[in-house]
Amino acid sequence: MAAPTFALNHMVAPQMPLGAFFKLGKTLGINQFEIRNDLSGNAILDGTSPSQVRELAAAEGAEIISINALQRFNEWTPAREEEARSLATYAAACGAKALVLVPVNDGSGKLEGERQGNLRMALKGLKPILEQAGIIGLVEPLGFQICSLRSKKEAVEAIHAISGSDRFRLVHDTFHHVLAGEPDVFPAMTGLVHISGVDDGQVSVDDMRDPHRVMVTAGDRLANVAQIRALLAQGYAGPFSFEPFSPAVHATADVVGLIKGSMDFIREKL
């Protein structure tokens, strides 16, 4: 079985300036990164131009695998289209390969028929925008019960329905995979894997939320190693990107140690 290729999502150290974030990865032998458009005072939100991002990445030999994310992508409105165009243009200009697409997650748009129709309409609208920018759209189903797109199978069906398999891929998120309770994985349609663990032994699966998400350790309740093993065994060859949301991870004084410990643990257990 091939060894996993690790990547870093900026959520691993959200307070770290972009240049330092790329340097952090380099010290760990990581050269693939996800930048975000939701970090105040950092990366994109602070007004950093795409050409500056491209230069910072080039200085460290960094590859930007995605911008995370276009939110509420499956609520396709003129405003969303404008936002998608702007983010896709930025992604292309900074050298990012893809744009992560996050669905509506507030309890609306969940009805049978409605959610599938909304998804297809959004994918149809996004396809020419992504084509023009020369980037991939990474559809990320979320496992939360209030989410309008929980199922990877439903996402794959919609992508095929609009003949979008040359422009769209899935994000397999190990946290959301467990929350959704959907056993199937779709390695051939997966373009990116997000990894994070939950060590808290008290919280039920239905009550797990982003702040519970830490690095992958021996205490992991999400079976990250088994998920990674299954994806690799079935031919997935893309990056596994660390995306912890826990305030404890963000506050650590030794983020290098945490990441290295997690990578070593995963490699040892595979």
Side-chain angles (χ1 to χ4, degrees), residues 213-237:
R213 297 171 66 176
V214 294
M215 299 301 284
V216 180
T217 72
D220 177 39
R221 294 177 55 198
L222 303 179
N224 268 271
V225 170
Q227 290 189 54
I228 292 168
R229 190 185 292 125
L231 285 158
L232 289 171
Q234 293 179 52
Y236 173 73

Side-chain angles (χ1 to χ4, degrees), residues 22-213:
F22 295 146
K23 278 191 170 70
L24 164 73
K26 197 175 181 181
T27 66
L28 290 154
I30 291 172
N31 67 354
Q32 294 186 311
F33 301 85
E34 293 185 87
I35 63 174
R36 303 184 67 95
N37 65 330
D38 60 357
L39 302 179
S40 55
N42 207 338
I44 297 170
L45 277 190
D46 65 358
T48 305
S49 72
S51 59
Q52 283 174 287
V53 173
R54 187 186 274 270
E55 283 164 20
L56 287 167
E60 303 303 331
E63 180 188 341
I64 301 172
I65 52 178
S66 81
I67 291 181
N68 193 321
L70 175 66
Q71 299 287 340
R72 303 179 74 89
F73 86 91
N74 55 340
E75 182 181 67
W76 196 246
T77 63
R80 192 77 60 248
E81 182 175 353
E82 184 68 26
E83 192 184 352
R85 220 174 276 285
S86 166
L87 269 172
T89 301
Y90 192 105
C94 79
K97 303 282 189 294
L99 176 61
V100 174
L101 307 169
V102 173
V104 173
N105 187 42
D106 62 6
S108 66
K110 282 181 63 185
L111 294 178
E112 191 68 36
E114 173 195 26
R115 66 173 191 271
Q116 293 91 341
N118 287 346
L119 176 57
R120 290 177 191 199
M121 185 196 300
L123 294 176
K124 269 186 195 160
L126 278 160
K127 192 179 169 190
I129 294 172
L130 297 168
E131 280 169 351
Q132 188 177 1
I135 63 170
I136 295 294
L138 292 168
V139 179
E140 181 167 24
L142 305 183
F144 301 126
Q145 290 181 359
I146 59 168
C147 188
S148 60
L149 176 59
R150 301 183 73 202
S151 163
K152 289 189 283 293
K153 183 171 186 284
E154 208 162 273
V156 169
E157 285 169 353
I159 290 167
H160 288 321
I162 64 119
S163 305
S165 54
D166 59 336
R167 197 48 61 185
F168 295 97
R169 285 288 178 273
L170 295 179
V171 177
H172 176 113
D173 184 298
T174 56
F175 172 81
H176 289 296
H177 180 73
V178 171
L179 267 61
E182 182 183 35
D184 297 337
V185 294
F186 298 87
M189 282 299 291
T190 299
L192 176 63
V193 178
H194 282 156
I195 55 177
S196 60
V198 174
D199 289 350
D200 186 335
Q202 305 303 309
V203 64
S204 70
V205 169
D206 285 349
D207 289 332
M208 288 178 182
R209 296 294 180 265
D210 281 340
H212 294 111
R213 297 171 66 176

